[in-house]
Amino acid sequence: MLAAAPSAQIRTTLHVYSPWAGSIPARGVTIDRTLRGACSHGSEVLTRADAWHCRVGSGRVFDPCFSNDRGRVGAHVLCANSPWESVVSIELTKALPFDLANPEGSPKRFAPWAMVTAARQECEQLHGSTGKVAGLRINYACAGSGVLLDLPKRGTTWTQAYASSFTAKTYKRVALRQVWW
């Protein structure tokens, strides 16, 4: 069952996440820890030329990890689960494989990485088999509870199908306050 679109209109703000300010971490970016590892190819989570799929130690995966203009051995990538969380810094043990990077150009051509609803719920992209609600694929999990289904509808105010849980039978449309790539 589909409920009506939200009546209170907000203007959705669009952001391209950048943990770097040149060759140093951007203001406000908190590094939890630094590890050593390598990136094997472009991110599987986020389709951006500066986003990478990386491994440390015995195979722990970090994705997405963001590079700056340096990609040689000893440089660092910053890895984040969402734009509002702290990052892990990975010191590269191998140069970035630029021939295996994601395509150049605006990441806004692709699915968003994370979103904030009008109710200020932070929602992060999910991967793999996630199930469906009322025939729509579950693509994002929201803090506290709730899931976002399918992909957002673009406009001045972006909206997306929202269900109260992974096992809900119905959904409603909610406005999105912020959209991140």
Side-chain angles (χ1 to χ4, degrees):
M1 178 175 191
L2 176 64
S7 58
Q9 292 297 312
I10 63 165
R11 183 177 194 90
T12 304
T13 57
L14 309 178
H15 307 275
V16 176
Y17 177 75
S18 180
W20 292 103
S23 62
I24 62 173
R27 181 178 300 226
V29 171
T30 302
I31 297 174
D32 270 347
R33 62 191 183 279
T34 299
L35 305 170
R36 290 176 44 86
C39 304
S40 56
H41 56 278
S43 172
E44 296 174 6
V45 173
L46 193 56
T47 308
R48 289 176 45 173
D50 65 341
W52 299 93
H53 180 89
C54 306
R55 292 185 186 273
V56 299
S58 61
R60 182 158 178 214
V61 172
F62 289 86
D63 189 344
C65 296
F66 300 90
S67 62
N68 56 17
D69 57 353
R70 299 172 59 215
R72 64 184 183 277
V73 172
H76 290 254
V77 293
L78 299 178
C79 310
N81 290 324
S82 71
W84 41 80
E85 295 179 22
S86 57
V87 301
V88 170
S89 177
I90 296 178
E91 181 182 346
L92 297 175
T93 57
K94 296 180 181 176
L96 289 175
F98 289 109
D99 57 325
L100 298 175
N102 285 324
E104 293 283 341
S106 174
K108 294 179 183 178
R109 300 175 294 172
F110 303 101
W113 174 38
M115 290 172 269
V116 178
T117 68
R120 302 190 190 282
Q121 273 188 293
E122 296 171 340
C123 306
E124 299 173 8
Q125 190 179 50
L126 297 170
H127 305 285
S129 180
T130 57
K132 292 184 177 187
V133 171
L136 298 178
R137 185 175 190 274
I138 299 169
N139 284 336
Y140 301 85
C142 301
S145 66
V147 293
L148 295 177
L149 313 171
D150 208 18
L151 293 173
K153 291 192 190 246
R154 298 172 181 231
T156 301
T157 301
W158 289 38
T159 64
Q160 190 151 0
Y162 173 89
S164 60
S165 71
F166 282 87
T167 59
K169 303 292 182 213
T170 62
Y171 65 89
K172 63 181 180 180
R173 292 214 70 82
V174 297
L176 300 175
R177 185 174 296 281
Q178 298 176 1
V179 176
W180 292 85
W181 288 270

